[in-house]
Amino acid sequence: MSSQSAGRKNNPGAAGAAKKPTGRTRRKEKREFVEEMKLRTLRPEELLHPAQLLARFTERAEALLAQLPQESRPAPAAVSTALRQGVLDAFRTRDEHIARLVETDLLASTPERGAKAIRRAVRSSLVDMGVRVVEEADEQELFVVVEGEGRGFELVRPAYVDQATGKLLLAGQLRRIPTPSDLSTQEQAEEADVPGGGAK
């Protein structure tokens, strides 16, 4: 019996710890993912159609307008125009959003592309859509402090802000860290605690 096989017998956990996913495991995971995506796919009758959506909005708007006094009602043509424009704008925004997601999914599906390239693509899409990603602790009102001690800050998670409205989409997170002045103050305190530490 070789020394390698003896080592494996004496340490059965070592072989298990080094075990990597097999081709069969990967194929099973892929099949499960495909099945999950099929279940999540919208059926045709559930998909949004601009004409159907506009018809539902128009019907609801007419019911609401009927409750208003005659002199306060806007012209039906103006209502139809406003609703049509609103629906078209919403679908245009949806199409742009889907196009960005398609680009990102395609990039993520390319084997030679790494996580860094995907992250850059996502960040570019966010910026193009008007989202400001804040990674500096200067704007502390956009962050929450989650842990740590000291007067300095270290970024844990960026903050995301809608540039059009100024709305905070997701607060960032900061960790407190010691600054050089914190460290020197701590050293002085430790020296003062040591008998004769301050004497020269």
Side-chain angles (χ1 to χ4, degrees):
M1 185 188 302
S2 69
S3 59
Q4 287 184 346
S5 59
R8 278 197 293 271
K9 278 193 170 182
N10 293 334
N11 189 7
K19 189 175 179 182
K20 294 182 179 178
T22 62
R24 182 182 294 175
T25 303
R26 290 194 185 95
R27 287 193 294 273
K28 181 184 175 188
E29 289 173 351
K30 186 174 181 180
R31 282 197 305 272
E32 288 174 350
F33 179 74
V34 168
E35 289 303 316
E36 182 187 347
M37 291 302 103
K38 284 181 182 177
L39 291 173
R40 294 177 64 163
T41 301
L42 290 170
R43 292 185 293 276
E45 64 271 16
E46 293 175 339
L47 292 171
L48 297 172
H49 296 283
Q52 293 177 8
L53 197 60
L54 182 59
R56 290 203 300 270
F57 283 169
T58 303
E59 182 182 345
R60 179 61 178 154
E62 288 173 353
L64 292 171
L65 291 173
Q67 299 174 12
L68 295 174
Q70 186 68 39
E71 61 277 6
S72 302
R73 294 178 191 172
V79 173
S80 296
T81 301
L83 286 173
R84 185 177 295 107
Q85 188 60 48
V87 169
L88 290 175
D89 288 346
F91 272 87
R92 190 176 300 113
T93 301
R94 180 178 181 270
D95 289 343
E96 290 174 1
H97 179 63
I98 289 174
R100 293 289 184 181
L101 288 175
V102 167
E103 290 173 7
T104 304
D105 185 70
L106 185 61
L107 186 64
S109 303
T110 308
E112 62 270 17
R113 293 288 194 167
K116 188 175 183 181
I118 296 169
R119 185 174 181 272
R120 284 179 174 174
V122 172
R123 179 64 57 87
S124 298
S125 296
L126 285 172
V127 172
D128 290 346
M129 288 190 289
V131 176
R132 185 164 67 97
V133 184
V134 184
E135 295 184 291
E136 301 295 330
D138 299 340
E139 301 178 66
Q140 289 187 22
E141 68 277 6
L142 303 177
F143 294 88
V144 292
V145 179
V146 292
E147 58 186 7
E149 294 179 0
R151 286 181 282 188
F153 293 102
E154 180 180 57
L155 182 73
V156 176
R157 183 181 76 191
Y160 297 84
V161 180
D162 185 340
Q163 292 192 87
T165 62
K167 180 182 177 182
L168 180 61
L169 301 171
L170 180 68
Q173 292 181 348
L174 296 173
R175 178 187 296 116
R176 287 190 179 276
I177 56 172
T179 62
S181 60
D182 289 333
L183 294 173
S184 61
T185 304
Q186 184 179 354
E187 288 169 0
Q188 290 172 8
E190 287 173 355
E191 285 182 4
D193 288 340
V194 176
K200 297 216 175 182

